[in-house]
Amino acid sequence: MKVLVGVTGCIAAYKACEIVRALQKAGAEVEVVMTKAATSFVGPQTFAALTGHPVGLSLFDDTTDPIPHIRLAEGCDAFLIAPCTANVAAKLAMGIADDLLTSTALACTAPLMIAPAMNVHMYENAATQANLATLRARGVHVLDPAYGRLACGDVGAGKLPEPADIARAVLDLLHSADAGALAGRRVLITSGPTVEPIDPVRFVSNRSSGKMGSALAEAALAAGAQVTVVSGPVSVCYPDAASVIFVDTACQMLDAAQRCAPDADIIICAAAVADHRPANPAAHKLKKDDDDAALASIAMVGNPDILRSIAEGKRADQVVVGFAAETDEVLANAQAKLHRKGADMIVANEVGAELGFGTDDDKAAFIMRESVEELPLMAKRQLAERIIERTCNLLSEIS
Ligand code: C5P
């Protein structure tokens, strides 16, 4: 297994040496490509000595290899860019290929993972966030930066994660791509609750934990898929190798899901989307006494149905799966939902005192157009594997 490591011009570039080492310890062969700015932080000779390969620096320097970006792009099983500056993330999002590293990224069909690292304000800048969202939507694995004291003295998000953690994420990605049933396939999962603001501090939401979405992401990665999760606020951790887009409201979730859906082979709507939202969220915090009337009666409007609109717009080569949490008449209600929403399969699960939201176990049934399969009580992770397995079968029936 061969990993191409791209190093860009960030103070954390020195940590790429440790990433290279950790990948090598795990048995990977590593080659390094650097931007010009990166060479101001670490000398290419360091990486050449660590990897035993010359370091890629320019599109034109190597007279023996007139198209080095294609050789590098085709010769790797995964391309990791760590640290990835805001500048390089912006170029990747736009498809700019003005040096060896960015040209290689554009030509590379192997999984791409980036570890953005920069000043907190650069990271939080709307332009950077939009670029990272674009990359995630295209299936690039974007690792979240760590929070802490940054080189410039600011405190916030923007630190490069620990080299060992980055190396582990790359290895997970490589192993998941190891010819599983979903190798080369893309899975999109909606997960967690949505939160609908009443005012800047209050909201309407539900108790969804995101555990099912996270278990599905793990199972899909284990089957070799590239996974994107569109998630409401949760405390559960999604696997590092999944690209995660966090949203708050149902409208934002719909927007993100619709952007990602065309690239996905399988779309699983596991989110507990709030059915209604406050019609007129207040711009200021509603106050006791002054705003009693507004607090006593909050007008609500219906939220978009994400599963339904994704199913309506789906292509014949895509599989769409939804969930139905029911307290009674589980199978009949789920069957009605399958038809109403236009999904290929509904995972019906019984919710009640000890089942459903926030629990580790679930009792479910798969409702398909022609058949129903009832499953025994099992761990959510195990159920996720069964769902992925069943969805793979549906996919192979149509492709
Ligand atoms: O209509 P109901 O909420 O019972 O349907 C549940 C299924 O529909 C789940 O798969 C859930 O993710 C999805 N859903 C959705 N958007 C909504 C409501 C539900 O995607 N607004």
Side-chain angles (χ1 to χ4, degrees):
M1 90 191 143
K2 186 156 179 180
V3 180
L4 180 62
V5 175
V7 185
T8 71
C10 161
I11 185 74
Y14 72 95
K15 292 190 185 172
C17 301
E18 284 181 53
I19 299 171
V20 168
R21 270 290 188 229
L23 288 169
Q24 287 172 324
K25 265 193 207 151
E29 189 186 344
V30 181
E31 262 195 77
V32 171
V33 54
M34 300 175 80
T35 62
K36 188 165 184 294
T39 62
S40 299
F41 293 93
V42 185
Q45 285 312 323
T46 305
F47 288 112
L50 287 174
T51 62
H53 293 288
V55 171
L57 296 171
S58 148
L59 282 158
F60 309 110
D61 282 355
D62 187 350
T63 48
T64 62
D65 186 357
I67 39 174
H69 55 302
I70 304 300
R71 182 190 64 78
L72 288 168
E74 287 180 352
C76 68
D77 300 302
F79 187 7
L80 166 73
I81 304 180
C84 182
T85 56
N87 176 51
V88 168
K91 287 191 200 175
L92 297 176
M94 292 301 295
I96 292 173
D98 63 352
D99 61 9
L100 181 59
L101 186 147
T102 50
S103 303
T104 305
L106 202 56
C108 190
T109 54
L112 173 62
M113 179 174 278
I114 66 170
M118 62 201 71
N119 165 272
V120 59
H121 302 302
M122 294 173 82
Y123 177 66
E124 286 174 353
N125 189 292
T128 303
Q129 288 302 314
N131 291 330
L132 296 178
T134 299
L135 292 170
R136 284 192 169 103
R138 283 189 203 136
V140 175
H141 302 272
V142 180
L143 297 180
D144 289 329
Y147 183 96
R149 181 167 293 279
L150 305 169
C152 54
D154 282 348
V155 174
K159 272 170 84 79
L160 189 72
E162 286 304 313
D165 293 339
I166 296 177
R168 190 168 32 78
V170 175
L171 295 166
D172 284 350
L173 185 64
L174 281 166
H175 292 143
S176 69
D178 258 358
L182 287 179
R185 301 290 201 170
R186 290 184 176 188
V187 176
L188 169 64
I189 299 164
T190 71
S191 175
T194 64
V195 296
E196 312 293 338
I198 296 170
D199 68 16
V201 296
R202 301 181 181 92
F203 54 81
V204 176
S205 189
N206 59 63
R207 293 185 194 281
S208 169
S209 60
K211 281 184 183 171
M212 191 69 230
S214 175
L216 284 164
E218 282 176 14
L221 285 165
Q226 281 191 43
V227 177
T228 301
V229 182
V230 178
S231 175
V234 288
S235 47
V236 80
C237 286
Y238 293 108
D240 286 340
S243 297
V244 186
I245 303 171
F246 281 107
V247 295
D248 285 322
T249 66
C251 292
Q252 292 168 353
M253 187 174 274
L254 175 69
D255 187 52
Q258 279 182 330
R259 264 188 292 122
C260 300
D263 290 331
D265 300 289
I266 295 171
I267 300 149
I268 306 179
C269 293
V273 183
D275 289 322
H276 293 85
R277 66 176 184 276
N280 303 300
H284 65 279
K285 182 185 166 191
L286 296 173
K287 297 218 171 48
K288 204 159 56 178
D289 302 331
D290 290 355
D291 296 309
D292 273 357
L295 280 166
S297 158
I298 298 166
M300 305 287 279
V301 285
N303 261 332
D305 190 316
I306 298 166
L307 171 59
R308 195 176 198 154
S309 63
I310 295 278
E312 264 167 20
K314 93 178 180 85
R315 296 187 310 267
D317 62 348
Q318 292 178 307
V319 170
V320 175
V321 177
F323 277 70
E326 304 288 348
T327 51
D328 54 305
E329 300 287 341
V330 178
L331 298 186
N333 285 333
Q335 243 142 3
K337 199 164 286 181
L338 179 81
H339 296 292
R340 198 170 62 242
K341 305 241 185 189
D344 297 295
M345 179 170 102
I346 290 283
V347 180
N349 57 332
E350 210 173 297
V351 287
E354 274 154 35
L355 287 171
F357 289 154
T359 63
D360 289 323
D361 296 330
D362 241 325
K363 183 166 168 7
F366 296 158
I367 318 294
M368 288 152 291
R369 303 240 167 92
E370 321 274 284
S371 60
V372 169
E373 186 183 337
E374 290 192 65
L375 303 172
L377 182 70
M378 60 178 76
K380 278 188 172 155
R381 179 65 171 81
Q382 208 186 340
L383 175 60
E385 275 169 33
R386 299 288 288 271
I387 294 170
I388 293 298
E389 209 177 277
R390 170 64 53 207
T391 326
C392 279
N393 293 346
L394 290 175
L395 193 63
S396 52
E397 281 167 22
I398 56 174
S399 48

